[in-house]
Amino acid sequence: MLLDTSGLLCYHHSGEPQHSDAVAFFDATPAKLTHSYVLAEFVALAHARGLPRQAALTFAADLLDHPDVEVIWVDENLHRSALALLQARLDKTYSLCDAVSFVLMRQEGITDALTTDRHFEQEGFVRLLKP
């Protein structure tokens, strides 16, 4: 399962409507993958939502050491692949972070994403958190 920014926010913040679903999916799925752009975006989103900064930073740092979470560090090749995907999907409003996720999911054979983002469904993946 890929951990996306919105899914991590739902998991982290009990005030999110899909919090209990996010916790259930997170706990039930042994193999979890995310990447450095998601972690960067998570910190920014938590700040924008007015969540306590220290708690968000601690959560993001703890994910790096979580035994069931693999964090991929975005390198130049992955970044360029994501940009190429964006160029091929000019009709979509995907973010660069989304595109990195899509490239990684295809590389790793992952179909499910802990996310509320409909872009994952547009790209053919399963969005686990729906309104």
Side-chain angles (χ1 to χ4, degrees):
M1 171 176 71
L2 181 109
L3 304 175
D4 182 48
T5 309
S6 63
L8 287 176
L9 186 75
C10 290
Y11 178 80
H12 171 69
H13 182 52
S14 62
E16 289 296 312
Q18 295 96 346
H19 172 71
S20 60
D21 289 340
V23 170
F25 281 120
F26 189 96
D27 291 346
T29 306
K32 296 172 261 300
L33 179 77
T34 195
H35 55 85
S36 54
Y37 286 12
V38 165
L39 297 181
E41 197 175 67
F42 170 81
V43 171
L45 179 59
H47 177 72
R49 294 277 182 93
L51 299 179
R53 188 161 178 78
Q54 183 60 54
L57 291 170
T58 298
F59 176 76
D62 287 349
L63 283 174
L64 297 174
D65 297 320
H66 194 292
D68 298 327
V69 176
E70 179 182 2
V71 177
I72 302 294
W73 295 95
V74 178
D75 62 10
E76 181 181 352
N77 289 334
L78 183 52
H79 184 94
R80 286 180 181 274
S81 294
L83 286 175
L85 179 90
L86 292 176
Q87 284 290 341
R89 306 283 197 280
L90 292 175
D91 62 320
K92 304 294 185 207
T93 58
Y94 301 162
S95 70
L96 180 59
C97 184
D98 289 344
V100 168
S101 295
F102 303 154
V103 169
L104 275 177
M105 290 176 79
R106 287 198 176 96
Q107 286 176 353
E108 300 294 325
I110 297 171
T111 57
D112 296 348
L114 187 69
T115 188
T116 62
D117 188 343
R118 64 182 174 80
H119 292 144
F120 284 79
E121 289 177 328
Q122 289 177 344
E123 197 61 22
F125 299 107
V126 176
R127 171 177 57 155
L128 294 174
L129 301 175
K130 297 185 181 186

